[in-house]
Amino acid sequence: MNSDESKPIKKLSTDSYKGVRDFYPEDMAVQNHIFGIWKNTVEKYGYQEYNASVLEPADLYRAKSGEEIVNEQTYTFTDRGDREVTLRPEMTPTVARMVAAQRRERPFPLRWYSIPNLFRYEQPQRGRLREHWQLNVDIFGVTSIQAEVECIQVAYDITRQFGLKDTDFEVRLNNRKVMNYVTRDVFKLNDEQAHKISKLIDRKNKVEAKVFADVAQEILGDVADKFLTLLNSQNFEEFTSHLPQTKEEHEGLREIREVIAALEKLGITNVRFDQTLMRGFDYYTGIVFEIFDKNPTNRRAVLGGGRYDDLLSLFGGDKVPAVGFGYGDVVARDLLETYTSLPKDIRAADLYLCVMNASHFDYAQDLAQKLRTKNIKVSVDYSGRKVGDQIKTADRLKIPYIICIGDQEVASGEFKIKNLVTGEEKLSTEDTLTTLN
Ligand code: HAM
């Protein structure tokens, strides 16, 4: 006998873990809609799908993902074999590992996409959770800025399909090469100062202006004012006017100019240089970009990406240039809600068989199976409840058609199909019924 039998049983909570979501059928309909737009679009550009496990060795992220992600945001644990394992917080290190492993066998340029579930220990807030799904689009083996242009074009294409007009959002661009040039060559900062200031700029919107200026002063000393003047430039022209005027334009600045011009040729003009765009990850080496929703309710990056030419070399072997971006489903859903509407077609089936008597279950099951071979989605009510209640269930499940099966239907093989929306009824048999419309 169980000695605990007398203790009251503590009820389990129906809440999900903090910051993660349950996907009820309505939510799955929205998610499938988002994934559908993602997949259709990227496949039109020739991207192939790949996937991997959510578990990765923790070391994979230590090399180049950046301190914030590794120290504060990963779910890391030790497995029974004493290995440190991380629930992947992003897909880029995984895809870099996979491509590096097969770099000799694969034809380049390689265009790959995936929609992984990712986990970050973040403070849950609008647009940011502890779990999300993220479209990853990456192109490997292209050194020219055409790779950036194509990625931004794909990202733009998707964003338009979520209902946004050009005036609703903005593509923001920066270049790691420009930041390196500014911090090292122009301002002669040492590695530690350069690193600290870039992390500070990355947090610009999260700290108060006064705090920002004070910390910048601490890091930069005498040159702080000059640096902040450069950082506060209103546009690309003003920014470059604060830099030393050389005969040849700096490579990083030229790339920005070229990407903006190439996008313009494609009709994408809501693009802006943003010298404060840092992107948290350490692996980016060139152009970095984000798309920003300008709507006051969202006001955050809906996607982010950039060039990371050195990441694959971490796995040994030749260098493989790479560019890509990640687009999250949480913000995608916010966009749909703000700019269009969420999909409403969440019917559980096309047809519901209401069975008036338990002795007709076999007949109903048989009829359902025959109709399924005609590609009709059929669900049978085996509850034995009153037929009115069964019809109510069909209605709540948003199933548009019903057939009530009783003695008469079983004897004659003839039944009425009722459209619950219009009330219309049609007489039919299992042979004459080929489609519901
Ligand atoms: P990321 O900027 O960290 O980049 O994330 C990209 C997008 O994923 C964000 O703009 C947002 O839509 C979504 N996202 C990120 N964190 C969360 C969160 N906690 N909750 C909900 N949505 C989130 C990367 O992850 C890079 N690995 C992208 C990349 C691919 N770079 C090159 N290739």
Side-chain angles (χ1 to χ4, degrees):
M1 207 175 112
N2 185 348
S3 60
D4 285 345
E5 241 173 30
S6 53
K7 283 190 190 160
I9 298 168
K10 188 172 169 265
K11 275 198 203 126
L12 289 173
S13 167
T14 54
D15 294 343
S16 54
Y17 167 70
K18 182 175 175 185
V20 310
R21 295 163 292 172
D22 290 325
F23 288 83
Y24 285 92
E26 299 75 15
D27 306 307
M28 284 310 298
V30 176
Q31 200 190 46
N32 287 334
H33 178 68
I34 292 169
F35 285 17
I37 290 178
W38 280 348
K39 280 175 177 243
N40 287 338
T41 312
V42 298
E43 286 176 8
K44 270 195 288 182
Y45 289 79
Y47 287 77
Q48 283 184 300
E49 191 167 12
Y50 68 94
N51 211 337
S53 164
V54 295
L55 298 176
E56 285 282 8
D59 274 347
L60 186 65
Y61 305 100
R62 295 218 169 92
K64 284 265 175 194
S65 281
E67 292 153 29
E68 193 192 7
I69 276 268
V70 175
N71 298 340
E72 294 164 30
Q73 295 188 346
T74 52
Y75 283 90
T76 298
F77 62 94
T78 309
D79 74 7
R80 290 170 213 273
D82 240 7
R83 297 172 206 91
E84 263 202 292
V85 184
T86 295
L87 279 183
R88 64 183 173 206
E90 56 154 340
M91 199 60 166
T92 312
T94 300
V95 73
R97 177 176 64 66
M98 288 170 67
V99 174
Q102 297 194 351
R103 67 163 85 67
R104 288 186 195 288
E105 296 103 84
R106 297 274 164 189
F108 288 91
L110 205 61
R111 288 178 167 88
W112 277 10
Y113 84 91
S114 190
I115 308 180
N117 201 191
L118 305 178
F119 302 87
R120 297 185 191 180
Y121 193 79
E122 290 206 55
Q123 203 44 48
Q125 55 191 287
R126 184 168 168 85
R128 292 290 180 270
L129 298 174
R130 292 191 171 165
E131 152 279 323
H132 73 285
W133 296 80
Q134 191 191 83
L135 169 70
N136 274 252
V137 176
D138 291 273
I139 177 162
F140 299 90
V142 179
T143 48
S144 82
I145 54 109
Q146 289 313 321
E148 281 89 336
V149 173
E150 181 174 295
C151 281
I152 295 171
Q153 188 183 16
V154 173
Y156 170 90
D157 198 339
I158 291 170
T159 308
R160 288 297 306 250
Q161 290 179 66
F162 286 143
L164 284 79
K165 297 189 294 299
D166 278 13
T167 45
D168 295 325
F169 68 103
E170 194 166 67
V171 180
R172 296 187 185 169
L173 279 183
N174 196 4
N175 195 333
R176 281 282 164 92
K177 290 177 192 165
V178 172
M179 286 322 286
N180 289 342
Y181 166 62
V182 166
T183 52
R184 310 237 152 85
D185 301 340
V186 181
F187 283 86
K188 314 274 185 232
L189 305 182
N190 59 36
D191 285 354
E192 195 191 334
Q193 284 175 306
H195 184 72
K196 278 191 177 160
I197 196 74
S198 72
K199 293 290 166 198
L200 178 67
I201 300 170
D202 195 28
R203 297 176 45 77
K204 195 164 186 275
N205 296 328
K206 295 182 189 153
V207 295
E208 278 173 40
K210 169 91 174 71
V211 176
F212 184 87
D214 289 349
V215 180
Q217 180 73 42
E218 244 170 64
I219 301 170
L220 302 171
D222 293 350
V223 293
D225 284 350
K226 236 176 125 192
F227 192 92
L228 291 182
T229 306
L230 179 72
L231 202 65
N232 290 329
S233 303
Q234 292 302 305
N235 53 43
F236 190 61
E237 278 61 41
E238 191 188 326
F239 180 81
T240 52
S241 75
H242 292 305
L243 296 174
Q245 301 304 305
T246 51
K247 254 206 334 243
E248 275 207 18
E249 190 177 35
H250 183 268
E251 186 192 355
L253 295 168
R254 197 189 66 234
E255 286 175 356
I256 288 173
R257 217 184 268 286
E258 284 174 4
V259 171
I260 293 176
L263 289 171
E264 203 171 313
K265 272 198 198 143
L266 293 169
I268 303 172
T269 53
N270 50 344
V271 186
R272 165 165 100 72
F273 166 65
D274 179 359
Q275 64 279 10
T276 67
L277 182 72
M278 287 294 126
R279 308 271 309 126
F281 303 104
D282 290 344
Y283 48 67
Y284 291 120
T285 55
I287 295 276
V288 285
F289 56 89
E290 286 185 348
I291 281 187
F292 260 81
D293 179 9
K294 294 202 279 190
N295 191 294
T297 57
N298 296 338
R299 281 216 165 272
R300 60 166 61 250
V302 300
L303 64 89
R307 177 174 285 277
Y308 52 103
D309 284 350
D310 296 337
L311 190 57
L312 277 77
S313 327
L314 288 182
F315 302 93
D318 324 327
K319 206 168 149 150
V320 182
V323 181
F325 68 86
Y327 205 134
D329 71 326
V330 183
V331 278
R333 187 183 168 126
D334 290 342
L335 293 182
L336 282 178
E337 265 173 347
T338 310
Y339 294 100
T340 51
S341 56
L342 298 180
K344 294 200 175 60
D345 184 14
I346 47 161
R347 60 169 79 167
D350 304 320
L351 174 66
Y352 201 62
L353 301 189
C354 305
V355 190
M356 295 188 197
N357 186 316
S359 65
H360 302 326
F361 283 160
D362 287 349
Y363 177 87
Q365 205 170 36
D366 195 45
L367 174 64
Q369 202 53 15
K370 285 186 180 133
L371 296 177
R372 286 176 192 131
T373 64
K374 298 177 187 178
N375 257 340
I376 298 171
K377 293 176 186 153
V378 192
S379 171
V380 183
D381 192 318
Y382 295 118
S383 68
R385 290 170 308 164
K386 282 195 212 122
V387 79
D389 292 336
Q390 297 186 38
I391 295 170
K392 269 189 210 143
T393 300
D395 197 38
R396 289 189 64 191
L397 289 170
K398 299 197 166 43
I399 298 174
Y401 293 94
I402 57 156
I403 295 174
C404 294
I405 296 169
D407 293 342
Q408 206 186 319
E409 284 75 15
V410 173
S412 69
E414 262 191 350
F415 41 75
K416 278 191 207 141
I417 304 173
K418 181 168 182 175
N419 181 328
L420 286 184
V421 184
T422 61
E424 217 180 298
E425 284 186 334
K426 239 184 6 201
L427 207 59
S428 197
T429 66
E430 65 181 47
D431 295 326
T432 52
L433 183 66
T434 48
T435 160
L436 289 170
N437 301 311

